[in-house]
Amino acid sequence: MDRLPLSTNPLGGDMGRRDATQPALHDDLMERVLESENMRRAWMRVKANKGAPGMDGMRIEDFPEFARSSLPAIRQALREGSYRPQPVRRVTIPKPNGGERRLGIPTVMDRVIQQAIAQVLGPIFDPEFSDASFGFRPGRSAHGALRRVQTYIGEGYCIAVDLDLAKFFDTVRHDVLMARVGRKVRDKRLLALIGAYLRAGVLVGETIEATEIGTPQGGPLSPLLANILLDDLDKELERRGHRFVRYADDLLILVRSHRAGERVMASVSRYLTGTLKLVVNEQKSRVVKTDDGVFLGFTFRGKKLRWSERAYQDFRHRLRKLTGRSWGVSMDYRLKKLAEYVRGWMGYFGISDYYRPIPELDHWLRRRIRMCYWKQWRGVRNRIRQLRALGTRIRTAIWTGMSSKSYWHLSRSLGTQTGMTNDWLKDQGLISIRDQWMKAHGYA
């Protein structure tokens, strides 16, 4: 169901609306969380984000029916403070720089409630967050963080203090976090509910493990809670007069000299471990020239941005998988998935100023697609017929079609290139990496 009408929306029901003249008291926030419109917007946001089922196996498309029958009791439990969140389901995904990132997938119901909480608390906390904080905030992005770093480099701050917080989301102390939430939230029911989410546990295989520390990464509320905790760090760095940029738990402090960087790393590490009770990964934290560091998948060459070598190699690896000739899918489907991936990757990394490898990437990608077509055109007669239909001269088509050379070799032959021209491949739906780069830089 695309929409739950407000008149029959089980997420609203008799929750009621707060009088517009009622002051926005921070000690009566649960009623604001439960307002019909707020819950409806939370559901629409969760629905738009899709996502996998939680531990109860419920899918997004099954939720409206469940909500209509079960929401009255859940709503009452939330009001009374007796609601108990379900444990999150543990999944792991590979990290770009190696290793694995652990995510916790809440149930759809808990995602809706968390989203509703975030929508109420966000406008309360966000306006006072640091201007140097760019992660998971309205109107801010990783690109903004990178542009800010470029500005500092242009001002002569070319030494980066790259502090790595070891397994940040897994090591957050609940008492430290809740003390900071409690500075603005006085509603005991809401505080207890947030605490219950932190302690809900995690399903690993068939075993539920307790979560005495950490905030599961994967729920709608986790990014806001991370910013609330780390805002103290931001304020401390501002008090010390540092130039810095933070995106979630990725922190970069810019200084003018290596010696200053070493002093800053030592003092900030003490603050993180002593005051915020976080763990600093000393092996990965370092003081380097900005040209030698990596931040949010990018490196810097002077003030110019360039995707990191690891990001570039991951890109090529994924393109190779999407154009593998053993992938038994139609060419239409292959080109569709390829276009989705390239648009997504270039939508983020396309702001890189590094153009040099792009024409060669496009050439390589066209050749791989020609290879895929050649394999699908099975049989000598069919291959000759396909090339002739595309305008290849008959002798060239026959020679190419009868050749026993490899798919990869023939993808660069005269026959395949005069038949499967660049324009023809574009008409079939092959995306151009160069066009996406030009678009990202405002040239198209």
Side-chain angles (χ1 to χ4, degrees):
M1 175 174 288
D2 289 338
R3 180 182 176 89
L4 297 179
L6 286 179
S7 59
T8 59
N9 182 2
L11 293 177
D14 63 352
M15 291 180 191
R17 297 181 181 276
R18 182 170 51 89
D19 188 335
T21 62
Q22 180 182 342
L25 297 176
H26 296 176
D27 56 358
D28 190 26
L29 293 176
M30 183 61 86
E31 293 305 318
R32 292 173 59 184
V33 170
L34 296 177
E35 284 178 359
S36 299
E37 177 59 19
N38 185 57
M39 292 292 283
R40 187 191 70 82
R41 287 193 297 113
W43 156 241
M44 297 306 290
R45 182 68 177 271
V46 169
K47 180 176 181 291
N49 289 340
K50 300 179 181 179
M55 69 166 292
D56 61 354
M58 181 182 296
R59 302 173 302 168
I60 289 288
E61 52 267 33
D62 299 328
F63 180 73
E65 182 177 353
F66 163 82
R68 288 192 180 91
S69 61
S70 303
L71 248 294
I74 292 175
R75 183 172 65 240
Q76 186 62 28
L78 286 165
R79 279 201 170 104
E80 294 174 351
S82 59
Y83 178 79
R84 291 295 176 264
Q86 295 192 58
V88 299
R89 181 170 64 86
R90 169 71 51 79
V91 297
T92 58
I93 61 174
K95 297 174 68 173
N97 57 350
E100 291 182 332
R101 175 177 287 112
R102 300 195 300 181
L103 298 181
I105 308 300
T107 65
V108 179
M109 184 71 256
D110 283 326
R111 295 209 292 272
V112 171
I113 297 172
Q114 285 193 35
Q115 180 63 37
I117 296 171
Q119 288 170 181
V120 169
L121 296 189
I124 294 173
F125 283 93
D126 191 86
E128 296 185 18
F129 283 158
S130 168
D131 185 54
S133 170
F134 288 86
F136 307 108
R137 297 182 61 193
R140 290 172 170 264
S141 66
H143 289 177
L146 292 162
R147 296 304 188 196
R148 182 70 60 85
V149 174
Q150 286 181 297
T151 298
Y152 290 149
I153 292 174
E155 295 172 354
Y157 294 84
C158 298
I159 301 296
V161 180
D162 184 0
L163 275 165
D164 184 87
L165 297 176
K167 298 182 178 179
F168 168 74
F169 285 92
D170 295 332
T171 59
V172 170
R173 286 269 298 269
H174 294 171
D175 57 338
V176 177
L177 171 59
M178 291 305 298
R180 282 148 181 83
V181 175
R183 291 172 182 172
K184 292 182 180 292
V185 178
R186 298 196 297 271
D187 189 321
K188 293 182 179 179
R189 293 177 300 173
L190 187 54
L191 287 172
L193 179 59
I194 294 172
Y197 274 116
L198 294 176
R199 299 186 300 274
V202 57
L203 178 66
V204 182
E206 297 182 357
T207 304
I208 295 177
E209 298 180 357
T211 49
E212 297 179 357
I213 62 171
T215 170
Q217 189 176 4
L221 193 55
S222 292
L224 176 61
L225 294 179
N227 277 334
I228 290 172
L229 176 64
L230 292 175
D231 187 58
D232 270 21
L233 169 63
D234 298 340
K235 295 300 194 295
E236 177 65 17
L237 294 177
E238 289 176 345
R239 187 186 67 79
R240 299 182 186 186
H242 290 308
R243 287 157 175 79
F244 70 99
V245 173
R246 182 177 65 79
Y247 188 92
D249 58 329
D250 287 311
L251 173 67
L252 204 66
I253 307 172
L254 285 303
V255 296
R256 292 185 183 274
S257 70
H258 194 88
R259 179 177 294 180
E262 294 289 353
R263 289 198 304 268
V264 168
M265 186 166 71
S267 63
V268 174
S269 294
R270 285 195 297 271
Y271 178 84
L272 287 166
T273 57
T275 302
L276 298 184
K277 309 301 181 184
L278 296 171
V279 180
V280 176
N281 189 328
E282 296 182 359
Q283 284 68 42
K284 291 186 177 180
S285 298
R286 54 184 187 154
V287 178
V288 294
K289 293 180 179 179
T290 50
D291 284 6
D292 299 327
V294 177
F295 184 59
L296 302 179
F298 286 85
T299 60
F300 299 89
R301 293 296 180 266
K303 287 177 59 178
K304 291 186 177 297
L305 274 177
R306 178 172 174 172
W307 51 59
S308 69
E309 181 62 24
R310 180 61 181 263
Y312 177 68
Q313 292 303 327
D314 287 346
F315 183 49
R316 282 186 62 100
H317 176 71
R318 183 67 182 277
L319 292 179
R320 187 182 295 275
K321 289 185 66 175
L322 289 170
T323 56
R325 64 176 186 264
S326 60
W327 190 22
V329 296
S330 70
M331 288 304 299
D332 286 345
Y333 182 79
R334 183 192 300 272
L335 293 171
K336 175 177 176 289
K337 301 307 289 185
L338 182 63
E340 290 174 356
Y341 175 67
V342 170
R343 286 194 183 97
W345 196 89
M346 291 301 292
Y348 182 74
F349 286 102
I351 65 169
S352 168
D353 298 305
Y354 190 43
Y355 175 78
R356 184 177 176 182
I358 289 177
E360 178 58 30
L361 265 178
D362 264 338
H363 170 75
W364 175 74
L365 190 58
R366 288 192 295 267
R367 186 175 175 185
R368 290 190 64 82
I369 291 298
R370 289 188 181 102
M371 175 186 68
C372 293
Y373 271 112
W374 194 246
K375 182 178 181 182
Q376 287 203 354
W377 294 344
R378 294 182 181 276
V380 172
R381 290 180 180 274
N382 185 45
R383 287 170 176 166
I384 294 172
R385 183 168 56 252
Q386 294 282 359
L387 291 180
R388 288 291 293 138
L390 293 175
T392 302
R393 295 175 59 183
I394 186 168
R395 291 184 61 184
T396 304
I398 292 172
W399 180 89
T400 307
M402 295 183 66
S403 175
S404 61
K405 293 183 178 179
S406 69
Y407 298 116
W408 181 242
H409 179 91
L410 290 173
S411 66
R412 200 179 181 183
S413 67
L414 178 63
T416 55
Q417 289 191 321
T418 56
M420 291 179 275
T421 63
N422 294 355
D423 288 341
W424 182 82
L425 291 174
K426 184 176 181 180
D427 289 342
Q428 306 314 299
L430 178 60
I431 194 169
S432 166
I433 299 173
R434 178 183 180 277
D435 287 352
Q436 293 300 306
W437 187 89
M438 298 289 283
K439 181 179 179 181
H441 286 263
Y443 298 132

